Amino acid sequence: MAKVQVELKVKRYNPETDKKPHWQEFTVEVEDTDRVLDALHVAKWTQDGTLTFRRSCAHGVCGSDAMVLNGANRLACLEIIKDVGTKITLEPIRGLPVIKDLVVDMEPFFAQYRSVLPYLINTSDPGYTERYQSAEDRARFDDTTKCILCAACTTSCPIYWGNSQYVGPAAIVNAHRFIFDSRDQAAEQRLDILNQRSGVWKCRTAFNCSEACPRGIKVTQAIEEVKRAILYDRV
Amino acid sequence: MSSTVYKGKSGQWAFIGHRVTGFMVFFFLLLHVVDVSLINIDPELYNEVHHLYGNVVLRLFEVGLLGGLLFHSFNGLRIVMVDFFPGAIRNEKSMFTAVLALTGILTIVGGYVIMKPFIDGRILS
């Protein structure tokens, strides 16, 4: 563990006072085992209280602090200074409107998430028993249960940058989670939603989403599985 | 003030390359439709325009076109593999390397054939 000087270059924008975004640099002293989020905290708490970013749990679970870190989408709370170096560039994630500095309006993203019915739909009454599911059936969608809705995948997608109508990788991942759940009964409904112009066919397999996911979800693979489920009409 | 270029990996560059070569090929096809249709208007003009394709600049353009076509074709097959074969997605990076290698080798071979008159010293006007 060693103290290091970190140069943070942050893209700042306050729509109430700024005509366009500008870069601001902060030099902060942190441990090399600290995370980028810690460096942001030092900058905000000791140098400029107006520096604005989101964070909640600070441990890679809540998905609040996705940002473009040295050019690629990452969670600031998971990236260790030792790994990313002492010159760090931070920008808000792309494709969503910036509210201030690193904070974007997540509402379009959540609306797209809601559009795929991301909850269990089963109208049958299981009575006083569980809805049984075998370990194999559970494993079918295990990867996509890990999503924390940080938007790192969706906002890394070049198609999403150019077309905000595309539901985006995160919505498809969360649809996948229920489409392939043996207890769910609304797979067909979700596949119909994702078969529309704004759905899975917008995916051009650029793989940025899979590279960006802080949970290691194989996002492109999940999207491809949904594409094939629509194509072959088989879950 | 500009943003940084997003640091995507091979998949992003395959996507961008596919788009760029797609546009290249599309615009060439437009040009090709025009130059071929000239035969209906004036066969002499058709001959003159097609004679132009023999000059060194347009031969080099054809080498570029060949490279674009090859990249677009091989990468298209890579995308088809990713779409239809569940196992292929694990190898998409090596498939992209193969796309680049095949494009490079065949462009050099095809480029040699296209540029042969100039390499041999025969100059076409």
Side-chain angles (χ1 to χ4, degrees):
Chain A
M1 210 159 61
K3 290 263 183 209
V4 285
Q5 297 279 322
V6 172
E7 284 172 40
L8 291 176
K9 191 176 160 197
V10 185
K11 191 180 191 180
R12 301 201 61 185
Y13 177 55
N14 180 353
E16 287 176 8
T17 55
D18 302 338
K19 280 206 177 82
K20 53 182 189 173
H22 62 277
W23 292 100
Q24 186 175 345
E25 290 186 20
F26 300 92
T27 304
V28 296
E29 192 180 78
V30 289
E31 304 283 352
D32 62 357
T33 49
D34 280 345
R35 290 123 348 129
V36 173
L37 182 64
D38 298 313
L40 268 174
H41 278 149
V42 175
K44 182 175 174 72
W45 293 339
T46 66
Q47 295 182 24
D48 187 346
T50 65
L51 177 63
T52 308
F53 52 91
R54 266 199 197 100
R55 62 100 176 86
S56 295
C57 78
H59 289 81
V61 180
C62 71
S64 300
D65 63 348
M67 52 189 76
V68 184
L69 197 156
N70 288 346
N73 283 4
R74 297 283 179 266
L75 294 186
C77 58
L78 289 184
E79 298 300 313
I80 298 170
I81 302 290
K82 215 163 29 173
D83 299 334
V84 297
T86 52
K87 283 190 194 303
I88 299 168
T89 309
L90 298 170
E91 297 158 85
I93 47 178
R94 295 169 192 179
L96 293 167
V98 176
I99 293 175
K100 190 182 175 191
D101 298 345
L102 300 173
V103 175
V104 298
D105 180 6
M106 296 283 279
E107 187 41 40
F109 170 80
F110 286 127
Q112 280 145 349
Y113 165 67
R114 287 191 297 268
S115 75
V116 300
L117 316 175
Y119 38 82
L120 188 89
I121 299 175
N122 189 330
T123 49
S124 71
D125 181 4
Y128 291 104
T129 59
E130 63 183 320
R131 291 188 197 276
Y132 178 75
Q133 184 167 55
S134 69
E136 291 74 35
D137 284 345
R138 174 62 179 75
R140 180 70 190 84
F141 60 92
D142 186 65
D143 199 35
T144 46
T145 61
K146 298 173 192 159
C147 179
I148 54 174
L149 295 174
C150 65
C153 60
T154 294
T155 59
S156 73
C157 174
I159 301 296
Y160 191 79
W161 298 335
N163 183 352
S164 57
Q165 299 300 308
Y166 173 38
V167 290
I172 302 171
V173 159
N174 284 280
H176 178 285
R177 186 252 168 270
F178 290 100
I179 288 167
F180 295 98
D181 187 333
S182 58
R183 299 163 296 186
D184 187 90
Q185 294 177 332
E188 214 167 293
Q189 227 177 314
R190 292 191 195 90
L191 292 176
D192 279 348
I193 293 166
L194 292 175
N195 195 20
Q196 291 168 12
R197 282 173 70 88
S198 56
V200 285
W201 309 114
K202 283 270 177 289
C203 168
R204 297 292 193 273
T205 57
F207 287 94
N208 277 8
C209 52
S210 303
E211 303 284 354
C213 180
R215 307 283 295 169
I217 299 171
K218 297 182 188 84
V219 184
T220 314
Q221 187 176 316
I223 298 172
E224 291 299 313
E225 285 174 9
V226 174
K227 282 181 185 173
R228 284 193 291 269
I230 294 172
L231 195 61
Y232 301 135
D233 203 11
R234 189 177 60 217
V235 172
Chain B
M1 186 199 73
S2 61
S3 299
T4 58
V5 174
Y6 191 86
K7 288 199 181 111
K9 301 214 170 141
S10 59
Q12 172 177 298
W13 298 111
F15 163 77
I16 293 170
H18 203 74
R19 286 256 153 139
V20 170
T21 53
F23 274 112
M24 269 173 60
V25 172
F26 174 71
F27 282 112
F28 173 73
L29 280 176
L30 289 184
L31 178 73
H32 195 49
V33 166
V34 172
D35 70 51
V36 168
S37 64
L38 284 177
I39 200 155
N40 290 322
I41 301 164
D42 182 353
E44 279 299 308
L45 185 63
Y46 173 90
N47 279 340
E48 276 173 36
V49 168
H50 280 79
H51 199 60
L52 273 180
Y53 279 117
N55 84 33
V56 68
V57 177
L58 284 171
R59 287 271 169 151
L60 282 170
F61 165 78
E62 281 177 358
V63 175
L65 177 69
L66 174 70
L69 263 172
L70 287 169
F71 178 84
H72 201 77
S73 315
F74 289 128
N75 193 53
L77 290 175
R78 170 180 161 273
I79 296 168
V80 170
M81 303 266 280
V82 166
D83 277 340
F84 286 95
F85 303 104
I89 208 162
R90 283 192 294 277
N91 302 311
E92 64 85 19
K93 283 198 173 109
S94 38
M95 287 197 304
F96 182 61
T97 310
V99 166
L100 289 181
L102 278 170
T103 303
I105 292 165
L106 292 176
T107 305
I108 290 169
V109 173
Y112 176 74
V113 174
I114 293 170
M115 298 308 288
K116 202 163 184 303
F118 299 95
I119 296 165
D120 291 350
R122 283 190 286 123
I123 308 296
L124 299 177
S125 60

